[in-house]
Amino acid sequence: QVQLMESGGGLVQAGGSLRLSCAASGTIISIVSMGWYRQSPGQERQLVATLNSGGGRNYADSVKGRFTISRDNAKNMVFLQMNSLKPEDTAVYYCNSRLYTDIGNWDDYWGQGTQVTVSS
């Protein structure tokens, strides 16, 4: 079993900052990628940022220059530093990891989500 545990969401004023953390635990052989997605009411879940095992980063255009994704490989953790937050960043943020739990078997795992609310 693999679990992803998120923390760090909350309420912040526009222009402020938040840092999200996610820790993966369980039977993990290796991690292909870790990242963050978000979902607003009535919207589909959308990619925010991902970071693969080779260090490659991918950001949604809407967060480039404001958000930074990073990892602690030793602890199987991923972080999302969010600066210059805007009301449109308000959403439930989900941690995602694509990882191997056995040789040759990989799957996508999701956290339970953490609410980020940005007031204007």
Side-chain angles (χ1 to χ4, degrees):
Q1 284 284 2
V2 173
Q3 286 189 324
L4 301 183
M5 186 64 67
E6 300 129 331
S7 62
L11 173 65
V12 65
Q13 288 188 332
S17 299
L18 283 174
R19 186 176 188 246
L20 304 183
S21 300
C22 173
S25 62
T27 304
I28 300 170
I29 303 300
S30 65
I31 295 177
V32 177
S33 66
M34 296 189 79
W36 295 92
Y37 291 70
R38 66 187 182 188
Q39 188 169 19
S40 304
Q43 303 287 327
E44 293 186 354
R45 192 171 298 187
Q46 298 178 330
L47 179 146
V48 177
T50 60
L51 178 54
N52 64 34
S53 59
R57 289 170 169 83
N58 185 35
Y59 293 97
D61 288 342
S62 60
V63 307
K64 285 180 180 177
R66 300 188 298 122
F67 291 10
T68 302
I69 189 170
S70 60
R71 277 176 63 175
D72 183 332
N73 291 328
K75 297 181 179 179
N76 289 338
M77 295 188 70
V78 65
F79 308 96
L80 186 68
Q81 178 65 43
M82 305 186 292
N83 298 329
S84 302
L85 282 160
K86 303 175 181 179
E88 50 264 44
D89 294 318
T90 296
V92 178
Y93 283 69
Y94 295 91
C95 178
N96 166 270
S97 182
R98 176 165 293 182
L99 54 87
Y100 285 85
T101 58
D102 194 359
I103 296 175
N105 295 318
W106 62 265
D107 207 344
D108 282 315
Y109 294 87
W110 294 90
Q112 79 286 353
T114 185
Q115 177 70 47
V116 171
T117 302
V118 184
S119 63
S120 57

